[in-house]
Amino acid sequence: MKLLFVDCCISQRGADSRTRTLADAFLTAFRGKHPDAEAETISQETLLALKPFDAAMLNDRDALASVRAWDAPVFALARQFRAADAIVVAAPFWDLSYPTALRTYIEYISANGLTYHYDEHGCHGDCRASRLVYLTSGGDFEREDSVGVVHWRQLAAMFGIPQFDYVFAGGLNAAPEKAPELLDAACALAAKLAKA
């Protein structure tokens, strides 16, 4: 069992990040359920160091893909994502979405011919993971069409990952007197998902 944790818990709160608290609840429960699991983390530093693709970079990547040079460094994150058995992504609810660093990461893991491919019937995912869990927290209450949740649900489908779950710890600023209770409830749900 190989778990990939994408740590985009970027916060001015530092160690007190509410998204980090949510992620820690999931990871602790997951390790308890799967003590022999191998865990890999994509750190915030790695995410923030990624350069968005420009035209020249896209041309270079497409040239490598055309000869199936999947061992090239530009595909390292995609290879890692493809090989994971389970994936958890944690990111705060920012501007109705999530931090730009996570969007850039998505560009790197979305490698046509490696993490997914097309044929005459459409798009087919090529990733090994059986599930992807998206964890987020925010000051506003959860919305049915929250971009982060919708986007990661669609990405899971594109990558061929059959099970998608999420936890949205919302309303933490809208109802500050209830914030500890709301966060505790979200952490309990995250822990329950980790044990499933």
Side-chain angles (χ1 to χ4, degrees), residues 28-76:
T28 298
F30 186 90
R31 291 185 188 109
K33 175 75 173 179
H34 306 279
D36 298 325
E38 176 187 348
E40 296 180 341
T41 298
I42 301 295
S43 70
Q44 294 173 37
E45 292 75 18
T46 296
L47 294 173
L48 290 165
L50 293 175
K51 181 182 177 184
F53 283 94
D54 59 23
M57 291 169 65
L58 286 171
N59 287 336
D60 290 344
R61 184 173 72 164
D62 287 350
L64 290 166
S66 71
V67 295
R68 303 185 65 79
W70 303 124
D71 58 343
V74 71
F75 297 118

Side-chain angles (χ1 to χ4, degrees), residues 8-192:
C8 192
C9 301
I10 300 168
S11 173
Q12 293 166 301
R13 295 179 178 85
D16 294 325
S17 160
R18 299 175 302 195
T19 309
R20 162 69 62 198
T21 300
L22 193 58
D24 286 346
F26 181 94
L27 293 170
T28 298
F30 186 90
R31 291 185 188 109
K33 175 75 173 179
H34 306 279
D36 298 325
E38 176 187 348
E40 296 180 341
T41 298
I42 301 295
S43 70
Q44 294 173 37
E45 292 75 18
T46 296
L47 294 173
L48 290 165
L50 293 175
K51 181 182 177 184
F53 283 94
D54 59 23
M57 291 169 65
L58 286 171
N59 287 336
D60 290 344
R61 184 173 72 164
D62 287 350
L64 290 166
S66 71
V67 295
R68 303 185 65 79
W70 303 124
D71 58 343
V74 71
F75 297 118
L77 293 172
R79 291 195 306 269
Q80 181 186 43
F81 189 89
R82 174 186 165 126
D85 295 302
I87 299 163
V88 58
V89 179
F93 183 62
W94 278 11
D95 306 322
L96 304 181
S97 181
Y98 44 72
T100 300
L102 187 57
R103 179 63 185 88
T104 305
Y105 173 73
I106 292 169
E107 292 182 5
Y108 279 82
I109 61 173
S110 298
N112 186 6
L114 183 59
T115 50
Y116 67 97
H117 71 277
Y118 290 101
D119 64 18
E120 65 274 14
H121 302 293
C123 182
H124 305 276
D126 295 310
C127 292
R128 191 167 77 183
S130 60
R131 68 185 304 204
L132 188 150
V133 178
Y134 180 64
L135 306 173
T136 189
S137 70
D140 198 358
F141 289 100
E142 178 183 354
R143 298 166 188 236
E144 186 176 323
D145 58 350
S146 294
V147 173
V149 173
V150 171
H151 195 191
W152 278 100
R153 185 190 305 277
Q154 293 174 341
L155 286 167
M158 182 181 86
F159 292 132
I161 301 172
Q163 182 178 342
F164 174 81
D165 295 294
Y166 75 94
V167 178
F168 193 128
L172 302 180
N173 294 348
E177 72 285 354
K178 294 183 179 179
E181 177 185 344
L182 293 169
L183 186 56
D184 284 348
C187 286
L189 178 54
K192 182 177 179 181

